[in-house]
Amino acid sequence: MNMLTKAERTKKFILETAAPIFNQKGISGANIDDVLAATKLTKGCLYGHFEGKEDLALQVVDHMLNTNGEKMLLTISKGKTAKAKVFAFLDFYKDPLNTYLKGGCPVFNIAVESDDNFPAIKEKIAGVIRHGQELFVSILNQGIAEGEFSEKLDPAIYAFKAVSAVEGAVVMCRAMNTAKPMAGLLRSLKAELESYAI
């Protein structure tokens, strides 16, 4: 097992501490002073690891997307069947008021903010979303190939609908301060998938 150097540990600490700040305040709203206050580090120390706010923002975005992706893959990989994998993905969103990273889903938050303001980040987020859709479709195709689901299931349409619905529901539930509609949505998406079970 390779041990992180002190500099690597400090950088990791900064990224982990800055992630919820950027996720809640956004790339434009978060600032270096917020990060300094949360980490209790000096400006000199911070600038020893990052060239400036833009560099910090890009690396925090990478950190959030990688962490989100790892947590999602770990969650999905626990499912033994295609249905179990999809249900695990859906259940990942079951508590929109207490997301694992404070402030909601980082993928959605970053996608909305980067749409008009940060072309490099928009490109990165588009790749993450495309990759997620491809993975979801491949799980459903595997389920069809293994006789778990009927060929009437259109994997691309279901995958897009499920992800769009849960991501939108996270935002709406957070705005209304209630998780209740999410529970109904997840039941509905699960029932729809089960209607294709063979």
Side-chain angles (χ1 to χ4, degrees):
M1 190 175 106
N2 65 342
M3 298 296 287
L4 295 176
T5 64
K6 184 173 188 286
E8 289 167 336
R9 282 196 310 273
T10 302
K11 185 171 184 176
K12 186 173 188 276
F13 167 70
I14 295 168
L15 290 171
E16 287 171 352
T17 307
I21 296 167
F22 276 79
N23 199 43
Q24 289 176 284
K25 292 189 168 194
I27 299 163
S28 300
N31 64 50
I32 295 289
D33 289 339
D34 295 327
V35 178
L36 291 174
T39 58
K40 304 201 179 0
L41 296 171
T42 64
K43 235 177 210 174
C45 178
L46 191 77
Y47 287 120
H49 296 280
F50 305 96
E51 291 166 20
K53 184 189 170 186
E54 195 175 325
D55 182 36
L56 174 64
L58 285 169
Q59 291 195 48
V60 168
V61 165
D62 278 343
H63 173 76
M64 287 193 291
L65 295 178
N66 291 338
T67 304
N68 192 69
E70 287 164 11
K71 286 187 181 302
M72 184 64 75
L73 285 174
L74 184 66
T75 299
I76 292 170
S77 69
K78 291 177 182 166
K80 301 289 178 244
T81 63
K83 176 182 147 183
K85 287 179 182 358
V86 172
F87 280 22
F89 164 80
L90 294 171
D91 287 337
F92 187 77
Y93 293 91
K94 72 178 178 257
D95 190 356
L97 303 183
N98 293 302
T99 48
Y100 83 88
L101 184 60
K102 216 171 162 71
C105 176
V107 175
F108 190 92
N109 290 349
I110 297 165
V112 171
E113 188 179 9
S114 68
D115 186 32
D116 298 317
N117 304 311
F118 303 98
I121 294 175
K122 180 181 181 178
E123 195 53 44
K124 192 177 298 241
I125 207 84
V128 168
I129 292 170
R130 271 194 296 275
H131 179 72
Q133 286 291 292
E134 288 162 8
L135 175 63
F136 203 145
V137 168
S138 73
I139 290 168
L140 294 171
N141 278 327
Q142 181 188 349
I144 293 169
E146 292 175 2
E148 204 179 326
F149 303 124
S150 146
E151 289 188 6
K152 289 181 181 152
L153 171 64
D154 184 323
I157 289 175
Y158 181 84
F160 187 80
K161 175 199 247 178
V163 174
S164 302
V166 294
E167 288 285 4
V170 168
V171 174
M172 292 175 72
C173 287
R174 291 180 65 78
M176 297 185 296
N177 201 30
T178 174
K180 199 172 175 193
M182 180 66 89
L185 174 66
L186 296 183
R187 274 195 307 276
S188 170
L189 287 168
K190 289 176 180 181
E192 180 180 347
L193 186 62
E194 287 193 309
S195 74
Y196 293 103
I198 295 176

